[in-house]
Amino acid sequence: MTDLFNADTQLVRLLEAILFASADPVTEDALQARIGPTPVRPLLLQLENLYRHRGVNLVASGGRWAFRTAPDLGDQLRTEVEVTAKLSRAAVETLAIVAYHQPVTRAEIEAIRGVATSKGTLDILMEVGWIRPGRRRETPGRPLTWVTTPHFLDHFGLESLRDLPGVDDLRAAGLLDKSTPLPTLPGLEVVSE
């Protein structure tokens, strides 16, 4: 109980509280100003030693002190954060065209959309894992085709492409103007898996 009232112990506890509560590393000068005339460096070394074999360590970097995760535990604490972001209208339209007209070339996607499709749009859909390159067409220039992936089906809760909503379903949901037919290209059909 007398140790709790020891001046050095109280100062070490004060340093611990300051460092724990600080969002950024704290300079020795700032710590020295907080604790008064007692030299701060020996107290910091005492605190550093106290945390040496714990889950967090007191570390100095560039004259600033902070608590950091013990290096041997860093990999076990790593988490992946899923970031949700809305797809652009161009990406949604492109995905729908690929889903309903696959295998489809970029030129065919552009013909259906009526505007040029940037490479970035296809890249985003590939990064998400919803489309992938298909086979090359046996036509002049051998254009690359695009198809959906199993991840696309899984993400949208579809067992196969046959489960995609039909034109009547889309119209009933108010997603299509009743007077506007879906654009199609001659010779293209929706591929069922």
Side-chain angles (χ1 to χ4, degrees), residues 80-157:
E80 290 185 26
V81 176
E82 194 170 312
V83 177
T84 57
K86 285 189 171 188
L87 290 178
S88 67
R89 181 180 173 103
V92 171
E93 289 174 357
T94 301
L95 180 61
I97 292 167
V98 172
Y100 281 96
H101 295 280
Q102 63 186 297
V104 61
T105 66
R106 182 178 177 155
E108 292 164 341
I109 292 169
E110 291 173 349
I112 293 169
R113 286 191 64 226
V115 294
T117 300
S118 73
K119 184 178 182 317
T121 300
L122 294 171
D123 289 343
I124 288 169
L125 294 172
M126 278 196 326
E127 284 176 22
V128 175
W130 291 344
I131 67 169
R132 66 174 176 77
R135 294 185 175 163
R136 291 195 174 273
R137 285 261 167 86
E138 295 298 327
T139 58
R142 297 191 32 107
L144 184 65
T145 62
W146 295 94
V147 297
T148 57
T149 65
H151 182 65
F152 165 82
L153 295 174
D154 182 51
H155 182 83
F156 290 99

Side-chain angles (χ1 to χ4, degrees), residues 161-183:
L161 292 173
R162 280 174 273 172
D163 296 330
L164 283 168
V167 174
D168 293 335
D169 297 326
L170 295 172
R171 281 196 179 117
L175 298 173
L176 293 178
D177 180 0
K178 291 181 178 20
S179 63
T180 308
L182 281 176

